[in-house]
Amino acid sequence: MKKSLRLALLVCAGLAGLALAGPAFAKYDPSLTIEQTSYKLGAPTTVDVFIAISEDADPTAQLRIFSPAGYTANLTAAPGTKIGSVLAVVKAKALGGALLPLAGDVVVANPADPAIVAAATKCTGTPTHGTIWVLNTSLQGQTVAIPVFVDQKGPLVVQTVCLPSPDVPPAAGGATFGAQLVLADFTIRGVFTNAGTKNGYEWAGIYTPYVPGTQTPSPAGTVEWRTYVGLPSSLTLAKVKAKKGFKLVGRLSIAGLNPKGVKLGLYAGKKPKPAPTAITNGTGKRLLRSAALPATGKYTIRRPAVKFATFFQTRFESYGTECTGASPTGLAVPCSGEDIAAITSNQVKATKPKKKRR
């Protein structure tokens, strides 16, 4: 679970001010958590997009994901190119509300495909876009292709997805099995490059629900969720000698963030890369959380000698902050919350000590 912690984000251009307030609506609580493979200035990065919505929330009609101003994107990949993978969970209303998994690839679509053209026009009002991706998944043996319409709009890249209503029959344009999105996790590689200037940046998700029981979107219920990314950011790890066992030392540094009070997760395992990242699930498990970090971000974790070769990594994860400032999208939408992008350290290896000769 994400720990809500009001971390002292330094005031960056475009991030100052108060979050917009909005009236209360029926339950609708989508979130957007972004994690990147690189937080270096000007570096290409694979982006992991994680969306979560409560099972009992209103169904989603449309979602839009906005990249931060300052990032660049290559939208020229040829149709058929695989740019990532996708995992999702839907609630199948037609099957008693069963939760069903979907999985597949993210590929670049053929913009001339009649089905894609029709879907684009229905979703966005125009048949042409900078590029179109398809989340190719399957559900109970049936292919479920979810198009993502991608456009460069000023300094932002916008991904738009429209979902069919789970509350009307498929023959009337509703979702297969009455499928309602609960979780989605997809990666995008070879597209985005980080901004080249040190600063705080925000990804933003804008979500619009359906009026429950209908296939009519409810613009009044639109909400936003953001993810904060500090560029540059890093989390280091090294193993040093100790009188007993060894010490793991390192430092967390995130542009625009005071890490005081943060606790890092320590992961370990017999196989390399024990901690999860933007593109891997991790091969080990979390052993413990560190002591609260000081403002310098430096940390030390003492460990006993290992009985077999063990890999270690630390991870900054599951922290959030309150929304501040106007939406980076330029839209007047109430913001429900903001995550802080997770970071995984490099790995170190500890081996069983050699027996001392007498």
Side-chain angles (χ1 to χ4, degrees), residues 18 31 62 71 99 111 123 127 160 168 229 246 253 259 265 271-272 291 316 351:
L18 297 175
S31 63
Q62 184 188 78
Y71 281 48
L99 296 178
C123 177
T160 302
V168 299
V229 176
F246 57 94
S253 177
K271 297 180 180 180
F316 168 80
T351 55

Side-chain angles (χ1 to χ4, degrees), residues 5-210:
L5 178 66
R6 179 138 187 155
L7 297 172
L9 295 179
L10 300 181
V11 177
C12 304
L15 299 183
L18 297 175
L20 299 173
F25 296 96
K27 183 174 182 179
Y28 190 55
D29 59 354
S31 63
L32 173 71
T33 303
I34 298 291
E35 184 173 355
Q36 301 180 186
T37 56
S38 174
Y39 297 99
K40 295 180 180 179
L41 294 175
T45 186
T46 295
V47 175
D48 179 53
V49 179
F50 183 79
I51 295 166
I53 310 172
S54 295
E55 293 177 44
D56 58 347
D58 293 342
T60 297
Q62 184 188 78
L63 62 93
R64 288 170 287 171
I65 300 169
F66 295 73
S67 67
Y71 281 48
T72 58
N74 178 5
L75 305 181
T76 62
T81 302
K82 178 182 174 181
I83 61 170
S85 58
V86 57
L87 297 171
V89 174
V90 297
K91 180 175 70 173
K93 291 188 173 182
L95 300 177
L99 296 178
L100 303 177
L102 299 85
D105 296 329
V106 181
V107 298
V108 179
N110 176 3
D113 183 332
I116 292 294
V117 172
T121 303
K122 181 179 179 180
C123 177
T124 66
T126 178
T128 58
H129 294 275
T131 189
I132 301 173
W133 305 329
V134 175
L135 311 182
N136 272 333
T137 66
S138 61
L139 176 61
Q140 297 284 300
Q142 294 192 34
T143 299
V144 179
I146 305 171
V148 182
F149 308 106
V150 187
D151 296 285
Q152 182 82 47
K153 296 187 177 181
L156 310 178
V157 171
V158 185
Q159 305 169 47
T160 302
V161 177
C162 291
L163 300 172
S165 171
D167 295 325
V168 299
T176 301
F177 297 118
Q180 177 175 330
L181 182 65
V182 175
L183 298 173
D185 186 359
F186 63 96
T187 54
I188 307 167
R189 67 170 181 263
V191 174
F192 291 102
T193 297
N194 292 335
T197 302
K198 181 178 180 179
N199 208 335
Y201 296 85
E202 288 178 308
W203 290 81
I206 302 292
Y207 301 86
T208 299
Y210 280 108

Side-chain angles (χ1 to χ4, degrees), residues 1 9 14 21 24 44 79 91 132 157 160-161 188-189 196 213 216 232 248 290 311 316 321-322 331 333 341 348 353:
M1 297 296 290
L9 295 179
K91 180 175 70 173
I132 301 173
V157 171
T160 302
V161 177
I188 307 167
R189 67 170 181 263
T216 302
L248 297 170
S290 70
F311 294 90
F316 168 80
T321 185
E322 295 180 3
L331 302 173
V333 177
V348 298

Side-chain angles (χ1 to χ4, degrees), residues 258-284:
N258 179 351
K260 185 176 181 179
V262 166
K263 295 182 179 181
L264 301 173
L266 176 65
Y267 286 78
K270 297 180 181 180
K271 297 180 180 180
K273 301 179 180 179
T277 68
I279 55 176
T280 62
N281 292 325
T283 60

